[in-house]
Amino acid sequence: MFLTITTTGTPERPATDLGHLLHKHPDKAQAFSTSYGTAHVLYPEADETRCTAALLLEVDAVALVRRGKGRGRGGAPDAALAQYVNDRPYAASSLLAVALSGVFSSAMRGVCRAKPELPAQPRPLHIEIPALPARGGTALVRRLFEPLGWTVAAEPVPLDARFPEWGDSRYVRLTLDCEALTLAEALRHLYVLLPVLDDAKHYWVASDEVDKLLRAGEGWLPGHPEQQLITSRYLTRRWSLTRQALERLELVRLAETDDSDVAELDNAVADETEIEERPAPLAVRRREAITAALAAAGAARVLDLGCGQGQLVQALLKDPRYTEIVGVDVSVRALAIAGRRLKLDRMGERQAARVTLVQGSLVYTDKRLKGYDAAVLSEVIEHLDLPRLPALEYAVFGAARPRTVVVTTPNVEYNVRWEALPAGHVRHGDHRFEWTRAEFRAWADAVAERHGYTVEFTPVGPDDPEVGPPTQMAVFTLKTPPTTTHATTRTTSRAKTGEKEAKAA
């Protein structure tokens, strides 16, 4: 992807002031790492009469696709050639917009420490983008840029110049000229309108994207005749976010009309309310859901399988109903950290008698784990390779057989709501898989059927109507042991099958 910004000047106002505004020296070629490639900034020409800064974004298309697949997503990866051979590395899009905001962040904010007076000075600007996707054609390009003071030249790029009968592609060669805009205003226009014209983004749009739009659109978006189209496309047509943005833009317009501050109009709720209603972290909600399930089951003696650093053990110790708590983990280092967290060396004798930390692997049967009221597998199963999951299943449900088993695991469908998580990535580098709600239910139902449990499912965290909750939880309850000889024989046969799998593991 390629973009150039050119300005002209005089001896009194040299064009090389562009270097001060961009915080990039004209005599240097610089490279900057981005999430999806390398951004290069260089100056093809730089003197006091004319200065051009070029931004070249090299997108690593192969790495982009490979990172997007994640690991162990429960199906064969899509190896279609179109994933690797497409327009993303060449046509201006949200990738270029993000690079602009990262590489020229100070210029976009209108900050110049060396010459503080420069950002507020309008200057002649000439911007060229050789390949810009324009879903809506050249007419839409003009409708978006001309109301902002740009003179627009948008030349359609033919599909193939050798075959004019094929017609034009959806790309244009864009040239923008203006005389009365600041560089910060120009960069903010590009930051918003590039992905709007492409009508796509390379990352999932979350609620904080509304704030980004309003910051970049300050001073020009509230009065733009295509405000609704810009807002809808920038927020990838998510109606709830679009409505939120349009309501806030209307508030800005009303404040300007009334010659008052937005805060003076939007004062129905005190500032403290938002702080008080801030949602609890997901880890806290998960522990609350687990302790609620254990309390409902009437458990007193509890296993925390894969206890990690002991956060759940610590929470259970605060409740006197739990008379015995055993934390199990394969990691000696994690157990040492858990011991320090619990202050075992300074714990009173009566309290110390309630808690035990044990080193052990969950894919092997362990006689020490039999006879407990409940066992918890919180964010554990996704750390196992799928072929080893039957061994854990037998060790817990077939051998230990607590009356209640609580299992939590990430809901992969919710991952699209994490803006910081690239598309297709799992939440943690050690996750071997992450399941959809349907996949988790299918596994849990099969486990319950094989080992004589019933199972119920509970969402943990905000239950999104489109993608569900961030964490899914299953609560298994042991059925009354079968009384018929046929049922007993069938259960014994299944237990032996699981035992063989555990030994093989």
Side-chain angles (χ1 to χ4, degrees):
M1 301 180 190
F2 191 68
L3 174 148
T4 60
I5 303 172
T6 302
T7 187
T8 55
T10 64
E12 294 75 25
R13 293 183 60 186
T16 49
D17 281 344
L18 183 63
H20 289 290
L21 287 166
L22 295 175
H23 288 248
K24 305 293 181 289
H25 200 286
D27 292 340
K28 297 180 180 178
Q30 301 179 58
F32 305 88
S33 294
T34 72
S35 300
Y36 297 95
T38 303
H40 302 270
V41 178
L42 58 150
Y43 290 78
E45 55 182 344
D47 56 46
E48 63 181 20
T49 59
R50 184 177 174 88
C51 184
T52 298
L55 175 65
L56 171 64
L57 178 61
E58 285 187 296
V59 178
D60 188 344
V62 175
L64 182 63
V65 173
R66 287 177 176 170
R67 285 198 302 271
K69 288 178 181 176
R71 293 190 295 165
R73 290 289 298 278
D78 180 6
L81 182 62
Q83 289 188 100
Y84 297 92
V85 183
N86 54 53
D87 67 344
R88 296 299 87 182
Y90 314 106
S93 66
S94 60
L95 285 166
L96 183 59
V98 170
L100 274 172
S101 67
V103 176
F104 299 143
S105 59
S106 296
M108 191 174 291
R109 296 196 311 270
V111 175
C112 180
R113 293 181 181 176
K115 296 187 176 184
E117 73 282 359
L118 291 182
Q121 295 175 359
R123 63 189 57 251
L125 293 171
H126 175 84
I127 295 175
E128 290 189 22
I129 303 175
L132 174 67
R135 297 181 187 273
T138 57
L140 178 61
V141 178
R142 292 190 175 89
R143 281 161 47 200
L144 294 181
F145 282 101
E146 286 180 347
L148 301 174
W150 293 99
T151 300
V152 179
E155 178 186 348
V157 177
L159 282 171
D160 193 319
R162 297 171 299 174
F163 302 96
E165 65 273 14
W166 289 2
D168 295 326
S169 68
R170 67 182 183 91
Y171 305 96
V172 299
R173 178 185 178 88
L174 178 64
T175 302
L176 300 172
D177 289 281
C178 73
E179 295 291 335
L181 288 174
T182 66
L183 180 62
E185 290 172 327
L187 291 175
R188 290 198 293 267
H189 295 167
L190 293 172
Y191 176 76
V192 173
L193 297 180
L194 290 183
V196 166
L197 283 165
D198 190 20
D199 200 10
K201 284 198 171 182
H202 69 278
Y203 58 88
W204 181 262
V205 172
S207 56
D208 62 342
E209 206 75 6
V210 174
D211 296 323
K212 294 181 186 178
L213 173 62
L214 296 183
R215 281 197 301 269
E218 184 178 0
W220 63 269
L221 184 56
H224 198 291
E226 298 294 339
Q227 177 197 106
Q228 186 159 356
L229 180 143
I230 293 170
T231 304
S232 176
R233 283 195 175 194
Y234 184 87
L235 298 171
T236 60
R237 304 179 190 275
R238 290 191 60 193
W239 66 269
S240 58
L241 297 182
T242 301
R243 182 179 61 186
Q244 178 185 342
L246 290 174
E247 288 172 351
R248 291 173 62 179
L249 286 167
E250 177 63 14
L251 194 63
V252 171
R253 188 191 66 79
L254 290 173
E256 290 177 348
T257 302
D258 197 39
D259 194 23
S260 60
D261 189 79
V262 172
E264 295 177 11
L265 295 178
D266 191 18
N267 60 359
V269 179
D271 293 340
E272 306 83 55
T273 304
E274 185 176 355
I275 298 173
E276 293 171 359
E277 297 180 356
R278 184 176 297 169
L282 181 58
V284 173
R285 291 194 177 194
R286 192 183 300 123
R287 284 196 295 273
E288 290 174 345
I290 291 170
T291 54
L294 294 175
R301 303 175 66 240
V302 179
L303 299 167
D304 183 6
L305 304 178
C307 66
Q309 299 178 15
Q311 290 94 332
L312 178 60
V313 174
Q314 185 178 42
L316 296 177
L317 270 174
K318 296 176 181 178
D319 193 330
R321 83 180 74 192
Y322 302 110
T323 58
E324 184 179 354
I325 305 155
V326 178
V328 182
D329 204 283
V330 72
S331 169
V332 174
R333 182 173 180 271
L335 292 173
I337 295 173
R340 290 195 294 271
R341 175 188 294 274
L342 299 172
K343 299 181 176 63
L344 290 179
D345 57 339
R346 289 177 281 169
M347 190 176 287
E349 184 177 348
R350 182 176 297 180
Q351 188 80 331
R354 296 174 57 211
V355 61
T356 306
L357 298 181
V358 175
Q359 198 265 337
S361 172
L362 302 182
V363 297
Y364 297 102
T365 58
D366 191 334
K367 293 180 180 179
R368 297 174 296 178
L369 307 184
K370 290 186 176 181
Y372 285 84
D373 298 330
V376 177
L377 290 161
S378 178
E379 311 299 287
V380 170
I381 60 174
E382 64 273 9
H383 290 272
L384 291 176
D385 292 317
L386 282 169
R388 306 195 77 186
L389 204 53
L392 175 141
E393 173 192 329
Y394 174 74
V396 176
F397 295 91
R401 294 188 70 74
R403 287 192 290 108
T404 300
V405 181
V406 180
V407 180
T408 73
T409 191
N411 168 24
V412 72
E413 297 169 77
Y414 194 88
N415 287 1
V416 295
R417 294 294 191 254
W418 306 111
E419 182 195 352
L421 186 67
H425 276 219
V426 291
R427 297 185 196 176
H428 189 281
D430 190 51
H431 286 187
R432 303 304 198 264
F433 63 88
E434 287 178 358
W435 275 333
T436 64
R437 287 168 291 174
E439 290 169 334
F440 181 56
R441 283 176 175 268
W443 174 80
D445 286 337
V447 169
E449 173 65 22
R450 280 193 293 270
H451 297 286
Y453 284 78
T454 60
V455 61
E456 295 182 356
F457 302 92
T458 303
V460 180
D463 197 358
D464 190 289
E466 297 177 6
V467 297
T471 296
Q472 43 194 342
M473 184 172 80
V475 180
F476 298 82
T477 304
L478 188 63
K479 296 179 182 178
T480 303
T483 55
T484 65
T485 304
H486 177 71
T488 303
T489 302
R490 184 171 66 245
T491 303
T492 303
S493 174
R494 287 171 179 161
K496 287 181 179 178
T497 301
E499 187 173 6
K500 289 179 182 179
E501 293 172 341
K503 290 178 179 178

